[in-house]
Amino acid sequence: MEREDAYRIALAGLLHDIGKFAQRTGGWQGAHTEVGGEFVRQFVPEGWQADLYPVMGHHDEPLLTYEAKLIALADRLSAGERLAAEAAQPRQLLSIFCSLTADGQQAPEDKYWPLKPLRLEEAAVFPDESLAESQVTAAYSALWRGFEQETRHLLKAHARAESLSTYLESMLLLLQRYVWCVPSAYYRSVPDVSLYDHSRATAALAVCLMEQPETHIDELLRALKTWHQERAKALDAPPPPVLEETTVALLVGGDISGVQDFIYTITARGATSALRGRSFYLQLLTEAVARYVLRRLELPITNLLYQGGGHFYLLARPSDSSCLAEIRQEVSRILLRYHQGDLYLALAELSLVAADFYEGRISQKWGALVEHLRRAKQRRFAELGPGLADLFAPQGHGGNEERECQVCGREHPGTRTDDDVRKCPPCLSYEELGDRLRQARYLWLTEMKADDELGAESGGWEEVLRAFGLQAGVAEELTAVPNTGRPRWILALEDDAMDNLRPDAHTVVGRRLLVNVTPVYGKADEEWLGRLPKAQQGALRQELPQEPQGKIKPFALLEAQSTGIPRLGVLRMDVDNLGTLFAKGLGDQATFSRVAALSFAISLFFEGWVEVLAKRVGKTADGRDRLYSIYSGGDDLFFVGSWDAVVELARKIRADLTRFAADHPGVHASAGIALVGGKYPLYQAAGDAGRAEAQAKEVRRRVNGREHRKDGIAFLGQAIPWRQFGVEECREGMETVHSLAHWLERLTRDEQDGGAKAPKALLQMLIRLQEQYAEATKERALLGEDRNKAGEEQVYYGPWMWRGHYFLKRMARRYEKDDPEVAKAVDGLAEHLHGENFRAIEWIGLAARWAELLGRDRST
Ligand SMILES: [Zn+2]
């Protein structure tokens, strides 16, 4: 019964401000609470309408029911401020990045999210200038029509009001889709929190507050009111003691550790297909564990604040602490049983008092929770107590070669040979999952009784999820989704796949963002292969599985399909200083909803938009896919593919991140790229790319006396700021490494391939030039002579400058008669090299090496 009550309150919290959305279409008259009430009468199944009185009553004076008080208090805490009931409403949602201070800077101008349903389209995802007044109402009306239609489907599906939990989650997903871009009320007139983030945070808090008796809720509300009045007089008025003394909720964090090793420490044999499956399994596992925790605590889905990329955050009641300790043990036992200590879930909690939701304190709390998680990870499995050592004992007997898996190296009784490689059942199961995922358009989940018979017969991923009470799978068509009669979820992995989805009384439907970019062998690859010389073709065919059509392309093929030199590119990239952005970026304006809004925005980019970019950049004109997403979530990503495509992807991501973040100069990312052969061990490649990323994080540059840190890329062993590397569209020029590389490549290409046939010696010369410069600079730095009085690094003008100039001039003259274009180009380069503020000496060789790799004839 208690569980049912929690769902009612959650639904009331979720819908408490829905009237604001309706109001802005211009078609609904009255206060937002009245409009909300009308929405409930028209669109919520009759059976639950009576529970939704707080939607109408949460601004009443006095508040009439306990439920209305819960919502009113949760509303205030989530917004971190007293809410003006009917003040002028903001028209459009300001990008949360415009409220962020990072690197001591702010976004140059206000940008607003478009008023459009959430789809991975340019026009929906990127912020822009605000719309004209006349356009706003029309945009709201269009948005509302879509929402209304979907709400009717939901009403029909739940006419008999059977499963409130299913209805609640469907409504949550609907709000995500339509209300993500609708501003909530505002705090100091900054409308940067969406109604979606504010509503779900209110729902979560209201459920936690249910533990407080009514008298206590009254007391808290009164104290808040007093505090607001006092702060109106003096901003630094301290909160009344009750706001500091009452724990109102627990902030709970979960973090799976061992992820990196789990994904990358597999051998190259069968790696391509297993990789994607392993990485996706970890995402499913995060979800299964998060839902398991919610179910054990009897909390509704609205209490889950974030899940993805091996992490989750949720809000629990103060009294859930002891149950959390039990859950910690249960989860550890299951993970230990199936993964022998390879994977561990750190689960930590932190008490929140009412005052923690004000004056930006919530970010510090979040930071403290992350610290708790870090410490928990250092004491892996400590919650299981003594006797743990037995469980860590090796499972196999050692030396039993037939049972040793050639992919992961573990012994397993069920190991068998597949495609000439010995694989254990778990590895086979990941491979199968990866294979199914490549064409998947839907992810489905269904709840089941947690399987407490931990037999570990095969230990495949499905069994592990079952141990957490979840069954899962992916499907290309809806008809392939099993209907077990139990509660289930069907989540579209593509925007278009949403169109066919209809909810029913036991099925939640919605969109799930998932970067799922897999290079599949197809007709275009077959034709490409057919054009190759016989010997090379034969060698590559040996790398392919027996029936390659529709299967994931092996690394050897991605390597061979590079432009220029055949190499595999491995990319690792993440947002710089993300922890600081969350902990300090919002300053004293950090509210619970704002932190949620920032985290939603970051995941929209890395779990959503990156997929669009990767699909676009990875595809060649003749239809071959050359990029493979191993992982992209939270704020970081790992891609493998043909090296030139990987570099272009990194550039695109960096460029779009800025556009996405409202051109905020302090929101940036660093990338590391390693080039390896297709047979190179993956964990080493991952390590190489990781080290390159770390090198990129060391990048420093000074502009106008101000030092800028990070925001770089390490490529071909050199780390350089993005600004110099170049993030612009592909073009030729001398301004960036990228534009110069393209220019040099065409200049030195053969005439029959559209080049200008300048001698390759040009490239060698530029590479040597930079080398000489680098050596001399290093020596000078040792002597401490590399900086001027302002501490800025100086370009070192040495003999190589005039030598380079002379060499290029001479080369230009040689071409003057026969090939004026080359002559002009080389001459331009010489002049550029001579220029006053010439810094290109620091990267001219990098551009030349890049051009050289791009132009490398693959037959040699
Ligand atoms: Zn294995």
Side-chain angles (χ1 to χ4, degrees):
M1 206 54 221
E2 203 176 286
R3 179 185 157 119
E4 195 66 15
D5 282 346
Y7 286 105
R8 290 175 215 276
I9 284 297
L11 185 60
L14 202 57
L15 294 177
H16 80 285
D17 271 348
I18 195 71
K20 290 187 181 172
F21 179 19
Q23 269 180 334
R24 290 172 203 165
T25 63
W28 298 58
Q29 302 303 321
H32 83 264
T33 46
E34 286 167 36
V35 174
E38 188 52 35
F39 173 86
V40 169
R41 278 186 290 281
Q42 282 191 28
F43 294 104
V44 176
E46 224 180 319
W48 296 316
Q49 286 184 12
D51 306 317
L52 297 177
Y53 163 74
V55 174
M56 279 158 280
H58 72 278
H59 280 302
D60 282 355
E61 284 283 355
L63 291 158
L64 291 181
T65 65
Y66 175 56
E67 288 77 17
K69 290 172 187 176
L70 287 176
I71 299 300
L73 182 56
D75 186 12
R76 271 156 226 197
L77 295 183
S78 124
E81 188 48 278
R82 182 181 46 163
L83 298 172
E86 293 301 324
Q89 294 297 330
R91 309 279 290 165
Q92 270 185 276
L93 182 65
L94 182 68
S95 163
I96 185 73
F97 295 105
C98 295
S99 303
L100 207 64
T101 305
D103 291 355
Q105 301 174 87
Q106 284 178 332
E109 57 178 329
D110 285 352
K111 288 267 176 96
Y112 298 84
W113 299 106
L115 278 166
K116 289 193 188 260
L118 190 59
R119 285 178 76 92
L120 292 181
E121 293 169 351
E122 183 86 28
V125 161
F126 285 89
D128 208 341
E129 265 129 62
S130 62
L131 294 171
E133 198 68 6
S134 58
Q135 294 170 298
V136 175
T137 310
Y140 270 117
S141 299
L143 198 60
W144 179 266
R145 274 196 300 278
F147 177 66
E148 194 181 297
Q149 194 189 3
E150 300 283 337
T151 312
R152 279 188 203 285
H153 289 312
L154 209 53
L155 174 65
K156 212 171 133 203
H158 291 275
R160 293 183 11 203
E162 284 167 84
S163 170
L164 185 50
S165 68
T166 304
Y167 180 78
L168 179 72
E169 187 161 354
S170 286
M171 184 53 88
L172 178 69
L173 289 170
L174 255 192
L175 290 177
Q176 181 181 74
R177 203 161 152 222
Y178 288 96
V179 190
W180 75 282
C181 55
V182 172
S184 165
Y186 57 97
Y187 163 55
R188 291 184 194 159
S189 60
V190 183
D192 58 356
V193 170
S194 78
L195 203 53
Y196 162 69
D197 283 317
H198 171 66
S199 303
R200 65 196 185 102
T202 303
L205 273 160
V207 169
C208 299
L209 290 169
M210 287 170 75
E211 276 193 353
Q212 316 286 340
E214 187 162 357
T215 49
H216 207 171
I217 297 286
D218 285 335
E219 204 183 332
L220 289 166
L221 278 165
R222 260 198 315 273
L224 274 183
K225 204 168 179 179
T226 313
W227 192 27
H228 287 314
Q229 284 160 355
E230 279 164 14
R231 283 172 76 205
K233 283 176 247 155
L235 257 179
D236 56 350
V242 66
L243 298 181
E244 300 258 34
E245 286 157 7
T246 318
T247 297
V248 292
L250 298 180
L251 184 60
V252 180
D255 187 352
I256 296 180
S257 65
V259 168
Q260 301 245 338
D261 285 349
F262 179 78
I263 298 184
Y264 307 126
T265 318
I266 53 174
T267 60
R269 311 198 71 165
T272 1
S273 29
L275 261 179
R276 188 72 192 93
R278 278 178 174 255
S279 159
F280 184 56
Y281 159 65
L282 281 172
Q283 282 170 293
L284 289 177
L285 183 65
T286 313
E287 173 136 20
V289 177
R291 286 182 184 270
Y292 179 78
V293 177
L294 287 177
R295 211 163 44 244
R296 285 282 280 104
L297 296 176
E298 303 197 323
L299 286 169
I301 189 72
T302 37
N303 278 60
L304 184 62
L305 304 170
Y306 172 79
Q307 74 96 4
H311 308 263
F312 61 82
Y313 293 98
L314 56 91
L315 220 49
R317 310 168 193 92
S319 70
D320 286 330
S321 197
S322 61
C323 190
L324 275 167
E326 283 170 32
I327 295 171
R328 199 175 279 129
Q329 288 193 0
E330 292 159 12
V331 174
S332 282
R333 224 172 277 139
I334 295 171
L335 288 180
L336 197 52
R337 172 77 62 132
Y338 286 103
H339 290 293
Q340 291 87 38
D342 289 347
L343 294 176
Y344 172 68
L345 178 90
L347 190 65
E349 77 217 48
L350 199 78
S351 306
L352 298 177
V353 299
D356 285 333
F357 293 86
Y358 288 77
E359 299 173 323
R361 286 199 224 177
I362 198 73
S363 335
Q364 291 152 30
K365 288 285 166 175
W366 225 290
L369 178 66
V370 170
E371 180 55 27
H372 280 303
L373 285 169
R374 198 185 60 77
R375 282 207 301 270
K377 280 193 264 182
Q378 290 171 340
R379 301 185 309 258
R380 292 162 59 102
F381 297 104
E383 55 279 350
L384 293 183
L388 180 74
D390 306 344
L391 291 163
F392 270 125
Q395 305 287 309
H397 301 286
N400 192 340
E401 211 177 82
E402 276 108 78
R403 288 182 171 192
E404 197 185 281
C405 170
Q406 286 177 295
V407 178
C408 70
R410 278 201 183 277
E411 271 187 34
H412 197 291
T415 298
R416 62 184 169 87
T417 303
D418 174 77
D419 253 339
D420 292 335
V421 182
R422 280 196 318 276
K423 296 169 185 171
C424 68
C427 282
L428 279 166
S429 84
Y430 304 134
E431 216 170 277
E432 199 204 349
L433 178 62
D435 261 340
R436 274 192 256 158
L437 195 58
R438 76 222 137 120
Q439 308 285 20
R441 299 176 72 226
Y442 299 97
L443 161 66
W444 59 264
L445 309 164
T446 173
E447 214 171 84
M448 56 184 295
K449 205 171 152 294
D451 196 347
D452 33 12
E453 285 167 49
L454 301 179
E457 277 312 314
S458 84
W461 64 270
E462 284 170 299
E463 258 175 81
V464 190
L465 295 193
R466 270 205 294 276
F468 288 109
L470 200 73
Q471 212 180 328
V474 291
E476 196 176 341
E477 296 301 332
L478 274 177
T479 46
V481 177
N483 196 348
T484 53
R486 290 190 298 268
R488 60 174 189 164
W489 296 262
I490 306 177
L491 302 165
L493 299 176
E494 295 164 5
D495 287 330
D496 293 340
M498 272 305 293
D499 301 340
N500 314 317
L501 276 178
R502 289 287 174 273
D504 66 44
H506 298 284
T507 308
V508 173
V509 301
R511 175 78 164 86
R512 168 61 57 88
L513 298 178
L514 175 75
V515 176
N516 188 23
V517 183
T518 344
V520 173
Y521 189 89
K523 224 174 121 224
D525 296 288
E526 189 58 45
E527 287 166 7
W528 177 86
L529 216 53
R531 288 195 296 271
L532 293 184
K534 278 277 172 302
Q536 200 192 347
Q537 198 182 129
L540 278 174
R541 285 204 190 274
Q542 290 211 326
E543 300 291 330
L544 296 175
Q546 274 147 16
E547 282 164 31
Q549 284 288 342
K551 295 225 172 91
I552 300 178
K553 290 199 220 176
F555 283 158
L557 195 56
L558 292 175
E559 178 190 16
Q561 293 188 340
S562 306
T563 303
I565 194 169
R567 285 288 183 280
L568 207 58
V570 182
L571 167 69
R572 291 180 80 166
M573 187 165 183
D574 74 358
V575 174
D576 295 321
N577 315 322
L578 191 73
T580 316
L581 290 190
F582 273 97
K584 303 205 172 116
L586 294 162
D588 62 3
Q589 297 204 24
T591 61
F592 199 67
S593 308
R594 272 205 183 103
V595 174
L598 183 59
S599 122
F600 177 74
I602 301 269
S603 52
L604 175 58
F605 188 81
F606 281 93
E607 283 152 38
W609 189 249
V610 163
E611 174 178 74
V612 177
L613 291 181
K615 282 192 169 156
R616 210 186 274 163
V617 173
K619 207 176 244 350
T620 58
D622 64 352
R624 287 170 292 127
D625 292 314
R626 303 192 302 154
L627 284 172
Y628 188 10
S629 67
I630 309 302
Y631 173 75
S632 178
D635 74 309
D636 67 333
L637 51 84
F638 186 99
F639 270 83
V640 177
S642 307
W643 74 272
D644 56 304
V646 165
V647 186
E648 287 303 321
L649 176 68
R651 293 191 333 103
K652 267 268 165 241
I653 292 173
R654 178 63 196 89
D656 275 4
L657 178 65
T658 290
R659 220 153 51 90
F660 181 80
D663 299 317
H664 197 306
V667 178
H668 38 78
S670 295
I673 295 177
L675 301 195
V676 299
K679 299 239 166 106
Y680 191 74
L682 189 76
Y683 70 93
Q684 280 182 26
D688 292 349
R691 275 185 294 280
E693 190 186 4
Q695 197 192 348
K697 299 253 180 217
E698 293 301 316
V699 162
R700 305 275 183 274
R701 67 192 166 90
R702 272 187 167 272
V703 179
N704 301 329
R706 184 192 191 105
E707 192 182 49
H708 295 255
R709 294 166 161 260
K710 305 188 180 180
D711 197 13
I713 173 172
F715 176 50
L716 304 178
Q718 186 176 352
I720 182 165
W722 276 111
R723 177 179 294 231
Q724 259 109 64
F725 190 76
V727 293
E728 70 287 332
E729 290 295 316
C730 282
R731 63 157 188 261
E732 298 177 356
M734 280 187 267
E735 304 78 34
T736 63
V737 179
H738 164 250
S739 64
L740 184 59
H742 277 303
W743 190 51
L744 290 173
E745 192 274 315
R746 189 183 54 82
L747 216 56
T748 51
R749 205 187 303 153
D750 283 346
E751 270 167 318
Q752 64 263 35
D753 298 325
K757 209 176 182 325
K760 305 253 190 229
L762 172 64
L763 302 180
Q764 291 309 318
M765 185 260 165
L766 295 175
I767 292 168
R768 262 205 320 279
L769 208 60
Q770 187 186 340
E771 277 169 4
Q772 288 173 345
Y773 168 77
E775 262 167 50
T777 318
K778 213 162 112 192
E779 268 174 44
R780 208 167 61 132
L782 285 174
L783 297 169
E785 291 169 357
D786 58 329
R787 283 164 196 275
N788 66 5
K789 289 196 182 95
E792 288 176 30
E793 263 184 61
Q794 293 295 292
V795 173
Y796 186 12
Y797 293 90
W800 49 88
M801 299 292 255
W802 61 258
R803 229 183 273 146
H805 180 78
Y806 172 75
F807 180 93
L808 290 169
K809 281 281 183 192
R810 204 177 55 181
M811 185 185 270
R813 270 203 306 282
R814 255 189 290 144
Y815 278 86
E816 244 160 28
K817 224 187 196 161
D818 297 338
D819 200 335
E821 196 210 334
V822 173
K824 195 166 158 256
V826 176
D827 191 67
L829 212 54
E831 288 307 320
H832 199 60
L833 198 58
H834 219 53
E836 247 337 74
N837 298 312
F838 182 70
R839 292 200 74 115
I841 187 77
E842 294 167 338
W843 49 259
I844 202 159
L846 177 59
R849 285 161 66 210
W850 189 353
E852 196 185 28
L853 296 185
L854 276 173
R856 185 77 65 89
D857 186 349
R858 56 183 53 257
S859 59
T860 53

